Amino acid sequence: MTAGTVLDLGKFQESERRLTPQRQAVLKAFLELSQEHPTAEAIYQAARRYCPTVGIATVYRSLDLFVQMGLIQKAPSLNGTARYETQKVPHNHFVCLKCGRIYEFDKAQRPVVDKNIEKEGFEVISSSTVCFGYCPACR
Amino acid sequence: MTAGTVLDLGKFQESERRLTPQRQAVLKAFLELSQEHPTAEAIYQAARRYCPTVGIATVYRSLDLFVQMGLIQKAPSLNGTARYETQKVPHNHFVCLKCGRIYEFDKAQRPVVDKNIEKEGFEVISSSTVCFGYCPACR
DNA sequence: ATGCGTGCAAAGGGTTTGCATACAG
DNA sequence: CTGTATGCAAACCCTTTGCACGCAT
């Protein structure tokens, strides 16, 4: 669950960028939450456990930097609140139309995905590799 | 290109909702622009050609209403600006990581889509049914 | 008359930016 | 020293909301 296990931090050495305590905190926070495609606010709250003085602006600047470096990427959102995810190709998402949460599924093909998530309580309204509908918590 | 040709406006008759001049203007504007998944602002500008006094708040309220009625839906966005699209299942989108524009492709399968849009000048970075990358205008 | 719909302006939430300070090379 | 990075607060953009007025039933 350390940063090195998932992301290629060698990119920091190669660049003239500094891996400051704040950026480490943001990175650790993101990695802890990456399964749920966290918002900047969620990352901020988690990052403060590692670096209590970090500001929200630094969190945004760090996330932007990571995106720019290709370490992470933004996830598409329906409600205007940015979410972040690990760089993965391809994506298999379920986006809840009510709460905006994003769920990720593994590389199963579409029909399989549909059946799987319906078994888990999702109501699939529109489905391709990205699925829209209502998640169990919102039904 | 009239509203009736694409959207099921019968839903308005059935409901107790009124299809006011403002709502007609928003609907016409949306239909004109639906290919490019317009933002609320773009719809607002176009709607003023039909109803010069319409306010941006009314545009947002109308779009929300149409979404609620199932006539249209929101498109996922990377930059916090809402976009709207016709209700279609499934979706085949290309989302530009730079400008946020959304392009729609027809129901071709993924590998075909990738080749097609690369031929048209897109650089595909991540692809599923929704593709992310840079569009010709932004490369 | 009653209530839905509207325009305006203000408020709201999330994100970005300006600036002075702190720190690393 | 020189430039990058930070925290704070203000600014910013997009969207929503409060309110009084207008219009249809």
Side-chain angles (χ1 to χ4, degrees):
Chain A
M1 190 52 96
T2 65
T5 59
V6 179
L7 300 184
D8 176 17
L9 294 188
K11 292 187 182 179
F12 261 102
Q13 265 96 334
E14 297 162 17
S15 80
E16 65 290 347
R17 263 54 181 272
R18 290 184 220 149
L19 191 44
T20 63
Q22 286 90 342
R23 288 176 182 172
Q24 286 179 39
V26 173
L27 219 30
K28 282 180 78 173
F30 166 77
L31 288 170
E32 284 177 7
L33 302 171
S34 63
Q35 295 307 318
E36 56 193 68
H37 298 66
T39 63
E41 177 66 24
I43 295 168
Y44 170 57
Q45 296 302 339
R48 288 208 293 181
R49 298 206 313 270
Y50 301 112
C51 181
T53 64
V54 71
I56 185 73
T58 297
V59 172
Y60 276 107
R61 280 187 284 230
S62 300
L63 291 170
D64 284 352
L65 175 68
F66 300 156
V67 169
Q68 207 180 315
M69 295 176 68
L71 292 176
I72 67 175
Q73 62 188 29
K74 283 194 173 187
S77 154
L78 286 176
N79 65 1
T81 305
R83 287 176 174 274
Y84 298 86
E85 62 186 354
T86 54
Q87 194 115 29
K88 263 187 221 157
V89 180
H91 305 271
N92 287 289
H93 289 165
F94 181 98
V95 182
C96 179
L97 292 168
K98 179 131 183 260
C99 65
R101 265 193 291 259
I102 301 175
Y103 302 81
E104 182 155 350
F105 299 94
D106 43 310
K107 57 269 177 190
Q109 292 313 304
R110 189 192 323 156
V112 182
V113 171
D114 287 5
K115 279 174 196 153
N116 283 347
I117 62 185
E118 280 173 348
K119 249 186 290 185
E120 291 178 28
F122 291 94
E123 178 186 357
V124 178
I125 289 180
S126 161
S127 164
S128 48
T129 307
V130 177
C131 305
F132 296 95
Y134 296 98
C135 73
C138 289
R139 287 188 72 175
Chain B
M1 189 54 92
T2 65
T5 58
V6 179
L7 302 182
D8 176 16
L9 293 187
K11 291 186 182 178
F12 260 101
Q13 267 97 339
E14 297 162 15
S15 79
E16 65 290 346
R17 263 53 179 272
R18 288 183 220 149
L19 190 45
T20 63
Q22 287 89 341
R23 289 175 180 172
Q24 288 179 38
V26 173
L27 219 32
K28 284 180 76 173
F30 166 77
L31 288 169
E32 284 177 6
L33 302 171
S34 63
Q35 296 307 317
E36 57 192 67
H37 298 66
T39 63
E41 176 67 24
I43 295 168
Y44 170 58
Q45 295 301 339
R48 288 208 294 180
R49 298 206 313 269
Y50 301 113
C51 181
T53 65
V54 71
I56 186 71
T58 296
V59 172
Y60 276 106
R61 281 187 285 231
S62 300
L63 291 171
D64 284 352
L65 175 67
F66 300 155
V67 169
Q68 207 180 315
M69 295 175 70
L71 292 176
I72 67 175
Q73 61 188 28
K74 282 193 175 191
S77 152
L78 287 176
N79 65 1
T81 305
R83 287 176 174 274
Y84 298 86
E85 62 186 355
T86 53
Q87 194 116 29
K88 260 186 225 163
V89 180
H91 305 271
N92 288 289
H93 289 165
F94 180 98
V95 182
C96 178
L97 293 167
K98 179 133 184 259
C99 65
R101 265 193 290 259
I102 301 174
Y103 301 80
E104 184 155 350
F105 298 94
D106 43 310
K107 58 271 177 184
Q109 292 311 305
R110 190 191 323 154
V112 183
V113 170
D114 286 5
K115 280 174 197 154
N116 282 348
I117 61 185
E118 281 174 348
K119 250 186 291 184
E120 291 179 28
F122 291 94
E123 177 186 357
V124 178
I125 288 178
S126 160
S127 164
S128 50
T129 308
V130 177
C131 305
F132 297 96
Y134 296 97
C135 73
C138 289
R139 287 189 72 176

